[in-house]
Amino acid sequence: MTEVRHNWTTEEISEIYYSPLLDLIYRSATIHRENKDYSEVQISSLISIKTGGCPEDCAYCPQAARYNTGVDVHAMMPKEEVLEAAAKAKAGGASRLCMGAAWREVRDNRDFDKVLEMVTGVNAMGMEVCCTLGMLTENQAQRLADAGLYAYNHNLDTSEDDYKRIITTRTYDDRLNTLDNVRKAHISVCSGGIIGLGETNEDRISMLKTLSTMPQHPESVPINALVPVKGTPLADQPRVSVWDMVRMIATAKIVMPKSVIRLSAGRTEMTTVEQAFCFMAGANSIFAGEKLLTTPNPSFSDDMAMLELLGLKPREAFKNGRPKQKVEEIEA
């Protein structure tokens, strides 16, 4: 069984990343198959519960208020609509619902109270609940945990050195601090990045080093391909090669063998054959449903047909147990 390490060096990860592609896929696929659940794919659905008007300047994001991308600003969705969307996603095969709000950070106000109610409601439906709401304090993370939150998504996006080219309205340490706060609340961590931003291979390797040398690896690591959006600074970036996606997924699986590697944004541009290589390389999670927040995504029916063709099956919710509660409750 492959050892889980937290002391990877840049040189070691670089050697893996640059290894011949078929050798890389074989190695990652072998590690992936050491897990008896290798044929299971976690299916998540992502909805935008509060869209547009974000004060951040993320160069890839159509929801930033400063860019003219044609995304309309919408206030917080009513809880009833969220629960309806969750029921629809569950019926389509999803075991996790991810809720995203275009916020820089969580504020202790009525909107956050509504999010807590949504988390409680979706959790009661037997679905894992994930949120991506921007920066969190330790107290806010604990309130989400108490409401039943299973996972929190907060991507690093790119390497620490490349970060300021992509975002100037928050720091890399801000991201890491939020992840620390999530850990303290015993919520599982979902954190990965985006390729195709104009970064170098060394930036990709550096991001994977940051993730793989954390005291506890993220339970979920999304690998996104940039979806260029007109009106954003990265609108003219070329499409990422599928082999770059495979290389990232395979390297992530090797250095974080117990993490779920999510094939995320950019799947609409991939053929079934290309996605099959990603699954072979170690991807065992996808977002299903027609939209990822504001960008297109394959439908549930298309994805279910693909999984059936490839001999893969949806993973049930809470396969690894429900989220841990407060430390004092665990020790009681």
Side-chain angles (χ1 to χ4, degrees):
M1 188 65 69
T2 301
E3 176 190 6
V4 177
R5 293 177 48 193
H6 303 269
N7 60 345
W8 291 98
T9 66
T10 299
E11 292 73 24
E12 287 175 320
I13 299 174
S14 181
E15 184 178 356
I16 294 167
Y17 184 88
Y18 284 113
S19 60
L21 186 62
L22 294 183
D23 291 345
L24 176 62
I25 294 172
Y26 179 81
R27 180 177 175 184
S28 63
T30 302
I31 289 172
H32 189 33
R33 283 173 174 266
E34 289 178 356
N35 183 336
K36 60 182 173 57
D37 300 326
Y38 74 91
S39 64
E40 293 185 344
V41 177
Q42 179 199 70
I43 300 177
S44 301
S45 181
L46 176 61
I47 61 172
S48 179
I49 59 174
K50 187 274 173 185
T51 304
C54 182
E56 301 267 42
D57 68 351
C58 305
Y60 53 80
C61 185
Q63 299 199 66
R66 66 192 68 203
Y67 308 138
N68 182 18
T69 62
V71 171
D72 295 327
V73 176
H74 295 286
M76 180 73 66
M77 282 177 67
K79 183 179 81 169
E80 293 71 26
E81 289 186 19
V82 172
L83 295 181
E84 184 179 338
K88 183 178 178 181
K90 185 177 182 181
S95 60
R96 177 180 292 191
L97 184 78
C98 299
M99 300 185 291
W103 293 339
R104 166 179 163 76
E105 60 200 348
V106 172
R107 299 184 184 277
D108 294 306
N109 56 21
R110 282 182 294 180
D111 278 347
F112 185 42
D113 292 338
K114 291 176 184 176
V115 172
L116 296 174
E117 292 176 5
M118 294 173 190
V119 170
T120 300
V122 176
N123 188 53
M125 296 171 61
M127 296 185 77
E128 299 173 4
V129 192
C130 178
C131 282
T132 179
L133 311 169
M135 292 183 287
L136 279 180
T137 66
E138 189 174 341
N139 177 259
Q140 289 163 346
Q142 187 59 60
R143 290 181 68 191
L144 284 164
D146 292 341
L149 190 72
Y150 187 89
Y152 195 82
N153 168 259
H154 203 60
N155 289 333
L156 297 182
D157 290 344
T158 186
S159 70
E160 184 171 9
D161 288 343
D162 189 45
Y163 189 78
K164 289 180 182 178
R165 182 179 65 86
I166 305 300
I167 305 162
T168 67
T169 48
R170 74 171 92 167
T171 67
Y172 213 66
D173 282 342
D174 287 334
R175 299 224 173 217
L176 295 174
N177 288 339
T178 289
L179 293 178
D180 284 342
N181 292 334
V182 170
R183 278 282 178 229
K184 289 174 185 174
H186 303 286
I187 297 170
S188 67
V189 168
C190 175
S191 187
I194 307 170
I195 66 172
L197 302 171
E199 76 287 345
T200 64
N201 286 331
E202 284 63 39
D203 288 318
R204 297 173 184 177
I205 291 164
S206 175
M207 182 188 73
L208 290 176
K209 182 187 176 186
T210 298
L211 293 168
S212 64
T213 55
M214 288 178 173
Q216 186 174 350
H217 293 162
E219 284 78 3
S220 179
V221 179
I223 303 297
N224 296 273
L226 176 70
V227 178
V229 177
K230 185 178 180 181
T232 64
L234 299 180
D236 296 325
Q237 282 294 119
R239 178 194 170 193
V240 170
S241 163
V242 66
W243 304 118
D244 285 354
M245 287 290 286
V246 169
R247 198 172 281 280
M248 277 294 287
I249 288 167
T251 306
K253 175 55 67 176
I254 292 167
V255 299
M256 293 173 282
K258 296 297 184 183
S259 298
V260 169
I261 310 300
R262 177 173 290 137
L263 174 58
S264 294
R267 285 201 303 121
T268 53
E269 301 297 324
M270 292 185 184
T271 65
T272 297
V273 171
E274 289 172 338
Q275 291 181 71
F277 270 100
C278 293
F279 291 125
M280 187 185 302
N284 55 342
S285 178
I286 58 172
F287 280 118
E290 295 178 358
K291 275 197 173 183
L292 287 184
L293 297 179
T294 60
T295 55
N297 196 56
S299 67
F300 278 111
S301 59
D302 288 345
D303 281 333
M304 289 303 175
M306 175 181 67
L307 295 185
E308 183 177 0
L309 174 68
L310 299 178
L312 302 173
K313 57 190 177 185
R315 174 175 166 167
E316 63 185 47
F318 304 112
K319 187 70 184 283
N320 294 328
R322 288 186 175 267
K324 294 179 181 178
Q325 300 303 311
K326 291 186 247 184
V327 173
E328 57 265 30
E329 293 176 1
I330 296 171
E331 296 176 346

